[in-house]
Amino acid sequence: MLTAGQHERLAILTAELADSHDGWHQLLPAGRFKARDGRPFDVPGGHWQLDGDIAAGLIARAQALGQDLLIDYEHQTLHAAKNGKPAPAAGWFNGAEIQWREDQGLFIKPRWTERAQGFIERHEYRFLSAVFPYDDTGRPLELRMAAITNDPGVVGMASLPAWPPVYYPLRRKTP
């Protein structure tokens, strides 16, 4: 959480989606990391950092939210108000679909829409990108959303699998 005198910083990072036979995909790496363009520029040492304790906080906040987190296309949700274009969902994940893997990082198990799964199968989208605010030391504060994209921010992570196709039906909450 931010304390008095701190301001929110927002990171948008992209990782190549790895072949995943179990449906889990790395969203953020373990340890110190930065974007390929050198971000973050506003953190001493120039790196974000993620460990098991920080990940546990991210997972707890996602679970406390009690709703799905969005995966869109090319971060369009962040630009929709300005460019007026629609921002359809590519998929969803929630706090139960996030896990920490020691020495690997934070993983999510997306429930892809059929449209997004088709794009992934045809290699039309290959990367998964996280959006998170972070504190003055580079620690992520919460997961805001993710996107599928073709412009990676973080290099060295695996791409989205083109097979086997796994469709996760979107769950609808009933009143």
Side-chain angles (χ1 to χ4, degrees):
M1 301 305 292
L2 295 175
T3 59
Q6 290 181 314
H7 65 282
E8 181 178 272
R9 296 147 186 223
L10 190 65
I12 302 172
L13 293 180
T14 307
E16 193 171 356
L17 286 159
D19 288 344
S20 170
H21 298 290
D22 63 359
W24 290 90
H25 302 282
Q26 187 178 28
L27 185 64
L28 293 171
R32 292 169 31 100
F33 60 99
K34 63 173 31 185
R36 69 179 177 170
D37 65 4
R39 287 175 295 137
F41 302 115
D42 56 353
V43 171
H47 286 86
W48 292 291
Q49 54 186 332
L50 185 62
D51 61 24
D53 291 335
I54 297 167
L58 297 174
I59 294 168
R61 281 190 270 302
Q63 290 171 339
L65 184 63
Q67 70 181 40
D68 287 342
L69 293 162
L70 171 69
I71 304 170
D72 71 3
Y73 297 89
E74 303 290 353
H75 297 294
Q76 175 54 24
T77 300
L78 299 175
H79 307 292
K82 192 172 193 175
N83 67 23
K85 295 179 182 177
W92 302 93
F93 67 101
N94 61 40
E97 296 160 328
I98 307 169
Q99 65 179 218
W100 171 252
R101 296 183 182 179
E102 197 63 40
D103 297 324
Q104 294 181 52
L106 198 66
F107 285 69
I108 64 170
K109 190 170 190 177
R111 288 172 276 120
W112 301 116
T113 64
E114 286 186 41
R115 180 178 178 217
Q117 184 67 47
F119 284 136
I120 293 164
E121 287 174 11
R122 292 185 302 275
H123 297 280
E124 294 179 46
Y125 279 98
R126 294 203 41 216
F127 300 95
L128 186 61
S129 179
V131 177
F132 59 91
Y134 57 96
D135 68 15
D136 293 339
T137 66
R139 291 183 183 98
L141 300 171
E142 71 178 308
L143 293 173
R144 289 276 173 88
M145 61 179 292
I148 58 174
T149 184
N150 285 319
D151 188 18
V154 175
V155 295
M157 294 173 64
S159 67
L160 281 170
W163 72 275
V166 179
Y167 296 98
Y168 296 96
L170 296 178
R171 289 183 264 167
R172 295 186 181 183
K173 292 185 179 180
T174 55

